[in-house]
């Protein structure tokens, strides 16, 4: 891909999150072009292609086509490496939806393929690109909080039983990789790791309290970070009506709270506290999920900026290819988030603290 050339992208997996990717790509006409889509259900790929003005193709054809530069992986979570590894080994750049995959071994396979091929690998964690998260990063980098000592990470969301019943892979260990923490909470886990650095130990508990699913709809954990910061973590899809995800960081000179996609509190020693409110998007996703946000985009029922953070991340991915640099959220970051979630599950199963 040369300077000024658009990144030609094939989207694989035409389910729930795929329209968000397609719209984000369409919003970047100077940088990317959606040239194909693929799905294990051909009729679903055909319908998606008709809706988004592209061509449905078998995945083998996508891999063999030198005119496809990159693959956007939107399959069920447990099939991310299954799709992404062959793409990387075929010389395609890959952006994979969250979580990176559902096991450390699958994540490591993606990383090995990326290193072998030299292609770029990004993992979707679009909330890194929210305005509130960017402001949070500025506050941290400025040193205004002093030494970070504690963090509180909460994802008190709600999903109906119908949400899980809508897709046969949801709520399963094999393809969802877990429940509230792996599927919904992984975004805020990634933000926690980005703020606090590597975790060194974790002690967790999980439970299924409100849904007929294999996996947890409630998880809690205590986490210790390498610099000594202590954190608490909670994620749920059983907490009606659903509230925005919340990350609070506390330092020796101040505290900051990120709620949804905005900073809702910045309190520094000797200064007046600054307060704000989360956006409608954050509330919508907390209560109804991606389909709810997509409906708002389609029917205009709610003023929404849904998809903007995906657009920003896909732009970063395209520019990382053009500039020959790592994307902001690379495979190592994606693997770290999966590793922490998996450590919570292992701790809950074994009833012991896990060293990372």
């Amino acid at each position: 891909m040369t300077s000024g050339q658009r990144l030609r992208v094939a989207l694989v997996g035409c389910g729930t999150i795929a329209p968000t990717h397609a719209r984000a790509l369409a919003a970047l006409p100077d940088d990317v072009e959606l040239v194909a889509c693929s799905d294990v259900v051909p009729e679903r790929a055909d319908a998606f292609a008709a809706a988004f003005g592209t061509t449905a193709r078998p995945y083998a054809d996508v891999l063999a086509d030198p005119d496809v530069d990159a693959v956007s992986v939107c399959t069920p979570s447990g099939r991310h490496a299954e799709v992404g590894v062959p793409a990387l080994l075929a010389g395609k750049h890959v952006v994979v939806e969250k979580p990176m995959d559902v096991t450390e071994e699958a994540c490591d396979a993606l990383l090995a393929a990326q290193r072998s091929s030299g292609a770029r690998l990004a993992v979707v964690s679009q909330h890194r690109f929210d305005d509130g998260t960017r402001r949070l990063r500025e506050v941290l980098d400025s040193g205004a909080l002093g030494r970070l000592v504690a963090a509180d990470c909460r994802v008190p969301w709600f999903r109906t039983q119908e949400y899980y019943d809508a897709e046969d892979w949801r709520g399963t260990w094999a393809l969802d990789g877990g429940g509230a923490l792996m599927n919904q909470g992984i975004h805020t886990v990634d933000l926690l790791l980005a703020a606090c650095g590597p975790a060194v130990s974790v002690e967790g508990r999980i439970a299924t309290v409100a849904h007929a699913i294999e996996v947890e709809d409630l998880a809690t954990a205590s986490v210790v970070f390498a610099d000594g910061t202590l954190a608490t973590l909670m994620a749920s899809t059983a907490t009606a009506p659903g509230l925005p995800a919340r990350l609070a960081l506390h330092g020796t000179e101040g505290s900051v709270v990120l709620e949804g996609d905005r900073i809702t509190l910045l309190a520094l020693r000797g200064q007046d506290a600054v307060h704000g409110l989360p956006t409608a998007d954050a509330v919508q996703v907390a209560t109804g999920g991606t389909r709810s946000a997509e409906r708002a985009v389609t029917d205009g029922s709610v003023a929404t900026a849904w998809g903007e953070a995906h657009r920003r991340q896909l732009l970063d991915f395209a520019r990382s290819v053009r500039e020959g640099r790592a994307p902001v959220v690379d495979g190592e970051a994606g693997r770290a988030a999966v590793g922490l979630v998996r450590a919570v599950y292992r701790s809950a199963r074994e009833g012991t603290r896990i060293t990372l």
Side-chain angles (χ1 to χ4, degrees), residues 100 108 111 114-115 121 123 329-338:
M100 186 173 176
D108 289 341
L111 286 168
Q114 185 270 323
R115 288 191 292 266
L121 172 62
V123 179
V329 188
D330 61 11
E332 295 292 347
R335 205 271 190 201
V338 170

Side-chain angles (χ1 to χ4, degrees), residues 18 33 77 83 85 97 111 114 150 154 200 292 319:
E33 178 184 5
S77 304
V83 173
V85 167
E97 254 297 337
L111 286 168
Q114 185 270 323
R154 303 181 202 170
V200 295
S292 174
R319 289 180 174 175

Side-chain angles (χ1 to χ4, degrees), residues 98-99 125 127 153-157 159 178-193 216 219 233-237 245-246 337 340-341 345:
K98 61 82 189 169
S125 188
H127 295 298
C153 177
R154 303 181 202 170
V155 188
W157 285 7
R159 297 291 183 268
L181 189 56
M182 182 67 87
N183 189 317
Q184 286 80 20
I186 194 111
H187 285 294
T188 315
V189 167
D190 173 70
L191 297 182
L192 177 69
L193 288 165
E216 91 289 352
L233 170 63
M234 185 278 278
S236 181
T237 53
R246 182 179 188 272
L340 181 53
V341 171
Y345 292 158

Side-chain angles (χ1 to χ4, degrees), residues 70-92:
V71 170
S72 175
V73 181
C74 297
T75 61
S77 304
R79 294 197 170 115
H80 287 173
E82 177 185 316
V83 173
V85 167
L88 288 163
L89 294 179
K92 315 297 185 188

Side-chain angles (χ1 to χ4, degrees), residues 6-345:
R6 293 190 294 176
L7 189 72
R8 295 162 297 192
V9 180
L11 189 152
V12 182
C14 300
T16 301
I17 198 62
T20 299
H21 279 239
R23 291 190 180 98
L25 293 168
L28 299 168
D30 295 335
D31 296 274
V32 297
E33 178 184 5
L34 179 62
V35 297
C37 67
S38 184
D39 196 280
V40 293
V41 180
E43 295 80 9
R44 188 160 56 197
D46 289 340
F48 186 89
F52 291 99
T54 190
T55 303
R57 301 174 61 184
Y59 190 44
D61 290 357
V62 168
L63 292 177
D65 188 346
D67 289 333
V68 174
D69 301 313
V71 170
S72 175
V73 181
C74 297
T75 61
S77 304
R79 294 197 170 115
H80 287 173
E82 177 185 316
V83 173
V85 167
L88 288 163
L89 294 179
K92 315 297 185 188
H93 307 286
V94 168
V95 56
V96 58
E97 254 297 337
K98 61 82 189 169
M100 186 173 176
D101 204 287
V102 300
T103 67
E104 295 94 325
E105 293 79 10
C107 294
D108 289 341
L110 281 162
L111 286 168
Q114 185 270 323
R115 288 191 292 266
S116 173
S117 68
R120 299 297 164 197
L121 172 62
V123 179
V124 171
S125 188
Q126 76 270 18
H127 295 298
R128 293 269 203 112
F129 296 83
D130 290 337
D131 290 340
T133 307
R134 290 174 166 179
R135 175 60 180 143
L136 179 74
R137 185 75 258 167
E138 292 173 358
V139 171
L140 285 171
D141 291 344
S142 74
L145 300 186
R147 181 171 63 88
L148 201 61
V149 295
D152 180 38
C153 177
R154 303 181 202 170
V155 188
W157 285 7
F158 181 72
R159 297 291 183 268
T160 63
Q161 183 64 43
E162 288 73 23
Y163 163 84
Y164 289 103
D165 294 342
E167 302 281 355
D168 59 8
W169 60 274
R170 283 186 184 154
T172 67
W173 289 110
L175 292 179
D176 216 355
L181 189 56
M182 182 67 87
N183 189 317
Q184 286 80 20
I186 194 111
H187 285 294
T188 315
V189 167
D190 173 70
L191 297 182
L192 177 69
L193 288 165
C196 299
V200 295
S201 70
V202 62
E203 187 170 2
R205 295 289 183 269
I206 62 173
T208 308
V209 299
H211 298 96
I213 52 177
E214 295 178 7
V215 297
E216 91 289 352
D217 57 14
L218 175 63
T220 64
S222 61
V223 186
V224 180
F225 289 88
D227 66 355
T229 299
L230 304 180
T232 56
L233 170 63
M234 185 278 278
S236 181
T237 53
T239 47
L243 299 173
R246 182 179 188 272
L247 176 62
L249 302 175
H250 306 284
T252 55
E253 297 297 321
S255 296
V256 61
V257 176
L258 180 71
E259 197 169 0
D261 44 13
R262 284 186 181 167
I263 289 180
T264 57
L265 176 66
L266 177 60
L268 303 177
R269 186 197 294 262
Q271 300 183 28
D272 292 336
V274 178
H275 298 267
L277 292 171
T279 64
D281 284 333
V283 176
Q284 202 166 42
V285 174
T287 58
T290 298
R291 285 191 191 278
S292 174
E294 279 291 338
R295 280 195 298 271
V297 170
T298 303
D299 65 23
S301 60
V302 177
T304 179
W306 176 257
E308 172 59 17
H310 271 86
R311 186 197 69 80
R312 291 175 180 178
Q313 180 158 17
L314 290 171
L315 177 60
D316 173 72
F317 172 62
R319 289 180 174 175
S320 77
V321 173
R322 181 179 296 119
E323 297 165 8
R325 59 167 175 83
V328 168
V329 188
D330 61 11
E332 295 292 347
R335 205 271 190 201
V338 170
L340 181 53
V341 171
R342 293 269 293 174
V344 173
Y345 292 158

